[in-house]
Amino acid sequence: MGVKLKDLSNPRKTSFENLSGNKIAIDGFNIIYQFLTTIRGPTGEPLRNSKGKITSHLTGLFYRNINLLNNNIEPIYVLDGKPPQLKSTLIKKRKETREKNQEKYRKAIEDGDQEQARRYSHSMIRINEDIINDVKKVLELLGIQYVQAPAEGEATAAYMNDIGMVDYTVSQDYDSLLFGAKRLCRNLTVSGKRRIPRTNRFIDVEPEIIELKEFLRLNEINREQLVDIAILIGTDYNPNGFTRIGPKTAIKHIKKYKKIEDIPNMEKELELINIDEVRNMFLNPEVSKPDFIQKKEIQKEKLISYLCDENDFSIDRISNMIKKLDKVEEEKSESLDKWFN
DNA sequence: CGTTAACA
DNA sequence: TGTTAACGG
């Protein structure tokens, strides 16, 4: 779920064109979950191939990556490893709400209530090993690199950003900033319009950059204090946060008292968590340094075979998109020729 | 989510 | 030509 830092952030609008020439570390699980929950047929069911296997994530990944490559953006996917022990309460909590929602879903199906079914259908989806293997397969065939993080994907993505391997981390969550990412890119999507859940209203969603330095300067805090603010609000490692403290109160307190222990009347709340352990999760996370990463060649034939033969994608659509990619490559080498001649 | 078909 | 609905798998 991530930390609720939206109200404190100072996003700067950007676009695919603006990000041309950049390397980005994509929070793999975050993007996969988005595809699985948003790419659906009319009944709210995810897309499936003729064998009944879910394919929403394949559709999303294919089109999104073609768009990135067409704009000369180099994505590197970072996949989650073993979840940290401190996350177990959150995972348990999520499991409980998922099971409750699954029950609601089943009931809605029984009652023939499509609207309710659609609302709870996302709880039927889990990122399992099959899904991960599909993702790895498509990425390999697209020639896109991925790295396996030892623990939190966002932590390794942030590390890659910090040491200059990538220019941005990409996620909808703000956690990579807590992990020390220099720049976070949110809403890195093509279509500008997105429906507000359970309404018929649409809002324009544009890609945005949040720069850690600017964020800290604007709020007149350092990263350690940002982490304390997050802990007050609630993080994956202390999901409930401190009672009656939201973003506004959290920043007010930290600006005034500098750290959580110095805020008056926090003794009882502090007894509930090991605060230094939580801080350490963000300030000193388990990360790996990936080897030098270089984009590989797209394997067009195998990609078409995998998507169209194995997963029933339309051959016309897929080959058209690949043709578009070829066209961009052609233009690129043409302009390169001009440079030399 | 991203593309395409339909429509003014 | 630009906006919106519906489809994709």
Side-chain angles (χ1 to χ4, degrees):
Chain A
M1 199 57 201
V3 187
K4 295 183 180 72
L5 292 178
K6 194 184 176 78
D7 294 347
L8 306 175
S9 74
N10 53 326
R12 188 175 77 234
K13 293 218 178 305
T14 188
S15 62
F16 273 59
E17 293 77 38
N18 268 325
L19 293 170
S20 178
N22 284 298
K23 289 188 185 185
I24 60 177
I26 298 181
D27 179 358
F29 276 42
N30 186 263
I31 205 174
I32 296 162
Y33 190 74
Q34 277 194 315
F35 288 146
L36 287 172
T37 50
T38 58
I39 302 180
R40 287 153 181 284
T43 57
E45 271 285 293
L47 306 184
R48 294 173 191 273
N49 66 18
S50 57
K51 293 158 222 150
K53 203 188 79 175
I54 293 175
T55 55
S56 294
H57 54 311
L58 303 180
T59 310
L61 271 181
F62 175 74
Y63 289 113
R64 174 74 62 84
N65 282 318
I66 295 286
N67 273 309
L68 292 173
L69 296 173
N70 277 342
N71 284 281
N72 193 32
I73 300 168
E74 187 181 333
I76 297 152
Y77 284 74
V78 185
L79 305 178
D80 278 354
K82 192 166 59 70
Q85 192 58 48
L86 258 187
K87 223 172 167 174
S88 56
T89 13
L90 178 74
I91 291 168
K92 205 175 145 194
K93 204 171 145 188
R94 278 186 189 160
K95 197 182 169 196
E96 280 165 14
T97 48
R98 189 172 59 238
E99 278 163 3
K100 272 183 201 157
N101 288 341
Q102 283 177 349
E103 196 46 53
K104 285 179 185 168
Y105 174 81
R106 274 188 275 271
K107 197 164 191 178
I109 291 290
E110 244 177 71
D111 300 347
D113 190 340
Q114 287 222 351
E115 209 179 299
Q116 286 290 305
R118 206 183 156 83
R119 181 184 303 188
Y120 294 113
S121 59
H122 66 87
S123 63
M124 303 304 288
I125 291 169
R126 285 202 65 186
I127 298 181
N128 58 28
E129 210 181 318
D130 288 342
I131 302 269
I132 305 294
N133 286 333
D134 292 340
V135 169
K136 289 178 178 173
K137 179 98 182 178
V138 187
L139 292 178
E140 271 160 22
L141 296 178
L142 280 163
I144 292 169
Q145 299 292 298
Y146 59 84
V147 305
Q148 177 64 62
E152 301 276 24
E154 282 189 287
T156 290
Y159 177 67
M160 289 165 70
N161 189 198
D162 190 42
I163 64 174
M165 277 185 89
V166 295
D167 302 290
Y168 298 90
T169 61
V170 176
S171 179
Q172 289 308 100
D173 293 342
Y174 293 88
D175 297 46
S176 68
L177 293 172
L178 302 177
F179 288 123
K182 286 199 174 94
R183 301 189 195 117
L184 164 67
C185 181
R186 299 183 70 248
N187 306 333
L188 188 56
T189 59
V190 178
S191 65
K193 289 201 193 306
R194 195 177 295 179
R195 207 186 79 241
I196 305 167
R198 294 185 294 282
T199 69
N200 291 319
R201 288 182 36 246
F202 285 79
I203 45 162
D204 275 319
V205 180
E206 285 172 280
E208 61 184 33
I209 306 286
I210 297 141
E211 197 147 351
L212 179 61
K213 257 190 198 166
E214 275 180 41
F215 186 111
L216 297 177
R217 191 176 50 79
L218 186 81
N219 290 298
E220 298 174 300
I221 50 171
N222 57 35
R223 176 148 81 99
E224 285 72 15
Q225 289 165 342
L226 176 62
V227 168
D228 268 17
I229 288 167
I231 293 170
L232 286 171
I233 301 167
T235 75
D236 285 359
Y237 312 118
N238 65 316
N240 296 325
F242 283 50
T243 44
R244 299 194 319 281
I245 295 184
K248 288 260 164 66
T249 316
I251 193 154
K252 205 175 76 188
H253 279 334
I254 292 302
K255 271 184 154 172
K256 189 167 180 186
Y257 300 106
K258 308 299 177 198
K259 63 175 200 270
I260 292 175
E261 289 90 333
D262 292 345
I263 304 170
N265 308 317
M266 284 291 160
E267 294 80 11
K268 275 213 169 119
E269 293 269 358
L270 276 165
E271 276 171 27
L272 299 172
I273 57 165
N274 185 338
I275 193 160
D276 283 320
E277 199 180 16
V278 179
R279 281 175 178 146
N280 202 43
M281 293 300 295
F282 290 113
L283 298 172
N284 204 6
E286 189 186 355
V287 297
S288 63
K289 183 178 180 174
D291 298 327
F292 175 72
I293 287 168
Q294 190 158 27
K295 189 166 123 15
K296 295 199 172 131
E297 275 301 299
I298 182 171
Q299 301 178 61
K300 291 169 197 167
E301 296 306 318
K302 283 187 180 173
L303 183 60
I304 289 171
S305 168
Y306 179 64
L307 292 177
C308 303
D309 298 341
E310 285 186 51
N311 291 292
D312 306 307
F313 281 60
S314 150
I315 180 85
D316 287 347
R317 287 186 169 206
I318 300 304
S319 44
N320 266 338
M321 290 305 285
I322 293 176
K323 266 181 212 151
K324 270 193 202 171
L325 193 64
D326 289 338
K327 206 176 157 190
V328 172
E329 281 297 317
E330 226 172 83
E331 283 164 7
K332 219 197 287 174
S333 65
E334 268 171 25
S335 66
L336 208 65
D337 281 348
K338 273 185 196 159
W339 181 258
F340 284 110
N341 300 323

